[in-house]
Amino acid sequence: MRTSSFFEMTNEELNIKLSSLKEELFNLRFQNKAGQLENPKQITNCKKDIAKVKTIIHQRELGISQEPAKAASKKAAK
């Protein structure tokens, strides 16, 4: 995924995405050991996505970047 799409997610969505990516990495590793994985590059891409999500979460904890405003609050402001 593109990094810009991760920046548009809320903290809750990022945590959910992180857990799903970790689960996907587990499954990819399992398939690799069983010899069923067709494209080993998927493991690398999944690891990179996990790193992107963790980086964004850490940036938000440090105050470097901010969580986007929710869609409902945007509509209420207009």
Side-chain angles (χ1 to χ4, degrees):
M1 285 184 90
R2 295 208 132 330
T3 307
S4 59
S5 63
F6 291 132
F7 276 107
E8 296 169 357
M9 293 182 178
T10 64
N11 289 342
E12 290 179 25
E13 292 171 337
L14 284 173
N15 287 325
I16 292 169
K17 184 69 175 174
L18 181 61
S19 62
S20 68
L21 284 169
K22 285 183 177 183
E23 185 177 333
E24 180 183 349
L25 181 62
F26 174 79
N27 291 332
L28 289 172
R29 285 180 173 162
F30 191 85
Q31 289 176 2
N32 191 29
K33 289 295 180 183
Q36 297 175 344
L37 188 63
E38 294 178 12
N39 186 4
K41 185 76 173 161
Q42 290 175 323
I43 294 174
T44 306
N45 291 338
C46 189
K47 286 181 180 180
K48 287 181 181 180
D49 285 344
I50 290 171
K52 289 175 189 176
V53 171
K54 283 186 171 183
T55 301
I56 294 170
I57 290 172
H58 189 67
Q59 285 177 349
R60 289 183 182 172
E61 288 173 355
L62 295 176
I64 296 171
S65 66
Q66 295 181 352
E67 184 175 3
K70 299 199 179 202
S73 63
K74 286 182 183 178
K75 290 179 182 177
K78 290 181 181 180

